[in-house]
Amino acid sequence: MGEMTDRAGGRPAGPTEETAGRVLKAAFELLATEGSAALTPVRLHQETGVARTTIYRHWPTPRHLLLAILGPATKRHEIDDLVGEIGADLRTAVGTLTTRFETRPVRTFFDGLRVHDGNGEKPSLSEQYIEGLIAPVRAVIAAAVERGELHGEADRLVLEICGPLLAEFLLLGRRVKSAEVEQAITDFLDRHQLGGST
Amino acid sequence: MGEMTDRAGGRPAGPTEETAGRVLKAAFELLATEGSAALTPVRLHQETGVARTTIYRHWPTPRHLLLAILGPATKRHEIDDLVGEIGADLRTAVGTLTTRFETRPVRTFFDGLRVHDGNGEKPSLSEQYIEGLIAPVRAVIAAAVERGELHGEADRLVLEICGPLLAEFLLLGRRVKSAEVEQAITDFLDRHQLGGST
Amino acid sequence: MGEMTDRAGGRPAGPTEETAGRVLKAAFELLATEGSAALTPVRLHQETGVARTTIYRHWPTPRHLLLAILGPATKRHEIDDLVGEIGADLRTAVGTLTTRFETRPVRTFFDGLRVHDGNGEKPSLSEQYIEGLIAPVRAVIAAAVERGELHGEADRLVLEICGPLLAEFLLLGRRVKSAEVEQAITDFLDRHQLGGST
Amino acid sequence: MGEMTDRAGGRPAGPTEETAGRVLKAAFELLATEGSAALTPVRLHQETGVARTTIYRHWPTPRHLLLAILGPATKRHEIDDLVGEIGADLRTAVGTLTTRFETRPVRTFFDGLRVHDGNGEKPSLSEQYIEGLIAPVRAVIAAAVERGELHGEADRLVLEICGPLLAEFLLLGRRVKSAEVEQAITDFLDRHQLGGST
DNA sequence: ATTTAACCGAGACGGTACGTCCCGTCTTTAC
DNA sequence: GTAAAGACGGGACGTACCGTCTCGGTTAAAT
């Protein structure tokens, strides 16, 4: 009875594609539009029609859900049209960041993740998310350092350029004006003697 | 005879000093040590012995509690030992900021406020808190601009110096090393030609 | 200080006439129209404007209120136009009873009293009220027994005539038709050989 | 694929037998011994261990509970040993009534139902209960009318015999002595010329 | 006229129960 | 084995009254 067969036949484990798709899509929507408080099994059930039980089965905690939506949500913001010129690439990379501020529910998302960061469990979801946000900039900076055009720790340089922007938007809730961004990049290039031609 | 006079006698409104004291103290403790999830009427009742109903009476929502805590909690971080020299004052001001990172539950507090920022209700508690954190720096910068030693918008300058620190600590969860801070200030002074002698 | 002086000076105890009047009037109204559940200090306060505290001071429990309104409410239904002729008098007395069924909130009142009958405390309010309702009939019967026109226990005779009416109205919630009443009285007179001429 | 089928699988609705049994039994006990005021979800939870929420789930209001109790509580008082002789049968039927007065918490039960009769909602619980109490007598009377032994409306005849008893017991709170009952039945039979041999 | 006891209103406070919501686990049934 | 439907115990929510209390201001006798 209940023999531990060596995995013989039967249906594959894990949620149906159908189910997973519906649930995760709804989860993303909910998180983006209503914040993390809305990201509950009950709510998801109401939105998707998928049974509460089923949701618990596959994503026992909100954290599982968040992890499942975080990958897709962050992954796709790679930049492939880098030209190898620090000024231009930096403008592109920072541009993707500030554009996301405008077009995506970054703050809501950030808050949602923050709430479920858990208690010291690593990796912290929100930090991972922020890292994802600044990843393009980091890539550009790292490349420049590699080429010997920039000197110093990449980490510090990334924050030098992104820190004010993130703080302004995420912490102080202000819109980030593009003129400001442009100025900041120009200043950055200047002070690192990279003659930033627009 | 015996007409209903406009306001005859009666006990003064508002919570007893005793009650308010106990509750707010406990609220602060809870928020600082266990985060905003712990800041509930039930929990406060357990901690203080004050009846749940009483808490609802005077602080109908967590927001009321937070507002009552926030004033005292932020007010006291004024700086009075400014010497008028931009380099020294900036080091002092930024020092208070990073010191608070180390010694106070800034992140927990920030998260707590964030959760209860409410839905667009202004002023946003968390933003108000951040403003409080950087207030000393802003004061120094504003004074320097006033004296004509610095040029540009105070807001931008404040973020130029604090942005990376806030981002590093609050968003990425990294400790801010004092050497870094020192370097950042020196750089800042340099590039604004303020020859920052240590 | 605070000696137990032998009643020296001071305002007389008990509620002001004004206060008592307003409260008891409202209490009666409430009981009659909304039932005993509405007979609460809060409700009375809302109706009268008299402070909750004041109500508690003078009528610590609903029972006190009920006792205070019961007297006046029942007392006034004495009959003074008895002619000494059993048939006529009985018709008058039973008439007052059934008329009250129609014109007064007897059932609501009865229910209200019933709820607050308390736990065996005597006198039972509701029973007292019922006694009050049938008092006129009892008076007539008692007089007839006195005169030797009727034989047997008054109690039993009263119930013989009133029991069906009370049961029909109070227990079964049916309207009592006057034809029925007339028939019942006629039958009663018949079987006790009192030749009831209308 | 995976469309929301109309009704696919799932546990049957309604409370478990176990749960329903425990709750309703306790409800009956409470009503009988402590009156309707004790018939609360909290109290039931304490008595049965069944969670408060569960009780709300299946019996949203006290009325639901009472309705669930009332059926079983009234149903079982049918009489099956009628012999077809009006005198004997009447004694049996009235006997069951007065016996219930003595052995069952009729008054408490009645009061409890009365409180929750609701606001005009039919059927009135208490009236239904009273009807149940007198049902045996009604059956006997109806049969006699059917056989042509009695003349008149059954309703009126039933009240003629039961009214005084109900009023005495339920309204005036007096014990009903069996001698009285016997006398009443004899009189009744007499005046309807049914020569009631004991 | 001054005491002095009582009235009365306003409100704090602890407490109990309410009815609701969601949680997370479980059991039963269907596919 | 996935999925659905739902029971169930549990915890917190926010509300409504409860009954007691403290606090102020007023009023009406009795001295």
Side-chain angles (χ1 to χ4, degrees):
Chain A
M1 55 188 71
E3 285 309 291
M4 190 63 59
T5 65
D6 194 31
R7 189 73 188 86
R11 185 167 172 169
T16 296
E17 242 182 78
E18 156 84 6
T19 304
R22 277 206 288 173
V23 172
L24 294 181
K25 185 156 178 300
F28 179 80
E29 289 299 325
L30 277 175
L31 185 57
T33 57
E34 303 187 34
S36 75
L39 197 69
T40 69
V42 183
R43 205 71 171 63
L44 282 169
H45 163 60
Q46 289 166 347
E47 298 297 323
T48 62
V50 171
R52 217 157 52 84
T53 336
T54 304
I55 295 167
Y56 277 112
R57 217 191 315 277
H58 300 299
W59 305 274
T61 74
R63 198 154 204 274
H64 288 89
L65 277 168
L66 288 171
L67 282 169
I69 45 183
L70 203 56
T74 50
K75 279 283 171 40
R76 57 176 165 246
H77 288 278
E78 305 303 322
I79 305 187
D80 32 36
D81 51 351
L82 296 185
V83 295
E85 202 277 308
I86 176 82
D89 286 353
L90 206 51
R91 284 193 175 83
T92 309
V94 175
T96 47
L97 176 61
T98 53
T99 302
R100 287 177 78 184
F101 287 172
E102 300 291 328
T103 59
R104 318 237 77 206
V106 172
R107 296 199 66 192
T108 316
F109 218 96
F110 171 63
D111 280 347
L113 295 172
R114 192 103 204 193
V115 171
H116 291 284
D117 260 0
N119 314 303
E121 297 177 71
K122 290 287 176 181
S124 158
L125 295 173
S126 67
E127 292 163 14
Q128 188 178 329
Y129 180 62
I130 300 289
E131 290 286 2
L133 282 177
I134 59 178
V137 177
R138 161 160 288 132
V140 171
I141 297 284
V145 169
E146 187 81 14
R147 289 195 304 268
E149 295 173 25
L150 265 173
H151 307 285
E153 283 180 84
D155 258 10
R156 203 174 63 72
L157 293 165
V158 170
L159 279 179
E160 185 180 325
I161 188 99
C162 295
L165 302 176
L166 291 169
E168 185 159 24
F169 182 71
L170 286 179
L171 302 183
L172 292 173
R174 303 192 197 133
R175 284 196 60 230
V176 176
K177 277 163 287 181
S178 53
E180 267 182 90
V181 178
E182 177 54 31
Q183 182 65 40
I185 295 176
T186 308
D187 287 356
F188 179 85
L189 295 173
D190 268 1
R191 64 179 174 261
H192 291 280
Q193 290 122 27
L194 292 162
S197 57
T198 312
Chain B
M1 55 186 72
E3 281 310 289
M4 199 65 44
T5 66
D6 193 34
R7 175 65 170 80
R11 181 171 181 165
T16 296
E17 244 182 76
E18 156 86 5
T19 302
R22 277 205 287 171
V23 171
L24 294 181
K25 187 155 175 301
F28 179 81
E29 290 297 326
L30 276 175
L31 185 57
T33 57
E34 303 187 33
S36 76
L39 197 68
T40 69
V42 183
R43 204 74 170 61
L44 280 170
H45 163 59
Q46 288 165 347
E47 297 297 323
T48 60
V50 171
R52 210 156 58 83
T53 24
T54 300
I55 294 168
Y56 278 111
R57 227 187 309 272
H58 300 298
W59 304 276
T61 74
R63 197 154 205 273
H64 288 90
L65 277 169
L66 289 172
L67 281 170
I69 302 174
L70 206 54
T74 48
K75 280 281 171 39
R76 56 175 164 247
H77 286 279
E78 307 301 323
I79 306 187
D80 31 35
D81 49 351
L82 298 184
V83 295
E85 201 277 309
I86 176 82
D89 286 353
L90 207 50
R91 285 194 175 82
T92 308
V94 174
T96 47
L97 178 61
T98 52
T99 302
R100 286 177 79 184
F101 286 172
E102 301 290 329
T103 59
R104 319 235 76 206
V106 172
R107 295 199 69 191
T108 317
F109 219 96
F110 171 64
D111 280 348
L113 295 173
R114 193 102 204 193
V115 172
H116 293 283
D117 259 359
N119 315 303
E121 297 177 71
K122 290 285 174 180
S124 158
L125 295 174
S126 66
E127 293 165 12
Q128 190 179 327
Y129 180 62
I130 300 289
E131 290 285 3
L133 283 177
I134 59 178
V137 177
R138 159 160 289 131
V140 171
I141 297 284
V145 168
E146 185 83 13
R147 287 197 303 269
E149 295 172 25
L150 265 174
H151 307 286
E153 283 181 82
D155 258 10
R156 205 175 62 71
L157 294 165
V158 170
L159 279 180
E160 185 181 325
I161 188 100
C162 295
L165 301 176
L166 291 169
E168 185 160 21
F169 182 70
L170 286 178
L171 301 182
L172 292 172
R174 304 192 196 133
R175 283 197 61 230
V176 176
K177 278 163 284 183
S178 54
E180 266 182 275
V181 178
E182 176 54 32
Q183 184 64 41
I185 295 176
T186 308
D187 288 355
F188 179 86
L189 295 172
D190 268 359
R191 65 178 173 260
H192 291 280
Q193 290 124 26
L194 292 161
S197 57
T198 312
Chain C
M1 57 189 68
E3 286 307 293
M4 190 65 55
T5 65
D6 195 31
R7 190 70 185 87
R11 182 174 176 163
T16 297
E17 243 181 78
E18 156 86 5
T19 302
R22 278 206 287 173
V23 171
L24 294 181
K25 186 156 177 300
F28 179 80
E29 289 298 326
L30 277 175
L31 185 57
T33 57
E34 303 186 33
S36 76
L39 199 67
T40 69
V42 183
R43 204 72 171 62
L44 282 169
H45 162 60
Q46 289 166 348
E47 297 297 323
T48 60
V50 171
R52 215 158 53 85
T53 334
T54 303
I55 295 166
Y56 277 111
R57 226 187 310 272
H58 300 299
W59 305 275
T61 75
R63 198 153 203 275
H64 287 90
L65 277 167
L66 288 172
L67 282 169
I69 44 184
L70 202 56
T74 49
K75 281 277 171 43
R76 56 175 164 245
H77 288 277
E78 307 301 323
I79 306 187
D80 30 37
D81 50 351
L82 297 185
V83 296
E85 201 277 309
I86 176 79
D89 286 351
L90 207 50
R91 285 193 176 80
T92 308
V94 175
T96 47
L97 176 61
T98 51
T99 303
R100 286 178 78 185
F101 287 172
E102 301 290 330
T103 59
R104 318 237 77 207
V106 172
R107 296 198 66 193
T108 316
F109 219 95
F110 171 63
D111 279 347
L113 296 172
R114 193 101 203 192
V115 172
H116 292 283
D117 260 358
N119 315 304
E121 296 177 71
K122 291 287 177 181
S124 158
L125 296 173
S126 67
E127 292 164 13
Q128 189 178 329
Y129 179 63
I130 299 289
E131 290 286 3
L133 283 176
I134 59 178
V137 177
R138 160 159 289 130
V140 171
I141 298 285
V145 169
E146 188 80 15
R147 289 196 303 269
E149 295 173 24
L150 264 173
H151 307 284
E153 284 180 82
D155 258 8
R156 204 174 62 72
L157 293 165
V158 170
L159 279 178
E160 185 180 325
I161 188 99
C162 295
L165 301 176
L166 290 169
E168 185 159 24
F169 182 70
L170 285 179
L171 302 182
L172 292 172
R174 304 193 197 132
R175 285 197 59 230
V176 177
K177 278 163 285 182
S178 53
E180 268 182 89
V181 178
E182 176 54 32
Q183 183 65 40
I185 294 175
T186 308
D187 286 357
F188 178 86
L189 295 173
D190 268 0
R191 64 178 173 260
H192 292 280
Q193 289 122 28
L194 292 162
S197 57
T198 310
Chain D
M1 62 186 64
E3 280 311 287
M4 199 65 44
T5 65
D6 194 34
R7 175 66 170 79
R11 182 171 177 166
T16 295
E17 245 182 75
E18 156 85 6
T19 303
R22 277 205 286 172
V23 171
L24 294 180
K25 187 157 176 299
F28 179 81
E29 289 298 326
L30 277 175
L31 185 58
T33 56
E34 304 187 32
S36 75
L39 198 66
T40 70
V42 184
R43 205 72 172 63
L44 281 170
H45 162 59
Q46 288 166 347
E47 297 299 322
T48 60
V50 170
R52 212 157 56 83
T53 21
T54 300
I55 295 168
Y56 278 111
R57 228 187 307 271
H58 301 298
W59 304 276
T61 74
R63 199 154 203 272
H64 288 90
L65 277 168
L66 289 172
L67 281 169
I69 301 174
L70 206 54
T74 49
K75 281 280 171 42
R76 55 176 164 246
H77 286 278
E78 307 301 324
I79 305 186
D80 32 37
D81 49 350
L82 297 186
V83 296
E85 200 278 308
I86 176 81
D89 286 352
L90 208 50
R91 285 193 174 82
T92 309
V94 175
T96 47
L97 177 61
T98 52
T99 302
R100 287 177 78 184
F101 287 172
E102 300 291 328
T103 59
R104 318 238 76 207
V106 172
R107 296 198 68 194
T108 317
F109 218 96
F110 171 63
D111 280 347
L113 295 172
R114 192 103 205 193
V115 171
H116 293 283
D117 259 359
N119 315 303
E121 297 177 70
K122 290 287 175 182
S124 158
L125 295 174
S126 67
E127 291 165 13
Q128 189 177 328
Y129 180 63
I130 299 289
E131 289 287 3
L133 283 177
I134 59 178
V137 177
R138 160 160 289 132
V140 171
I141 298 284
V145 169
E146 187 82 12
R147 289 196 303 269
E149 295 173 25
L150 264 173
H151 306 285
E153 284 181 83
D155 259 9
R156 204 174 63 70
L157 293 166
V158 170
L159 279 179
E160 185 181 325
I161 188 100
C162 296
L165 301 176
L166 291 170
E168 184 160 24
F169 182 69
L170 286 178
L171 302 182
L172 292 172
R174 304 192 195 134
R175 282 197 63 230
V176 176
K177 276 162 286 181
S178 54
E180 265 182 274
V181 177
E182 177 53 33
Q183 183 65 40
I185 294 175
T186 308
D187 286 357
F188 179 86
L189 295 172
D190 268 1
R191 66 178 172 260
H192 293 278
Q193 289 123 26
L194 291 162
S197 58
T198 312

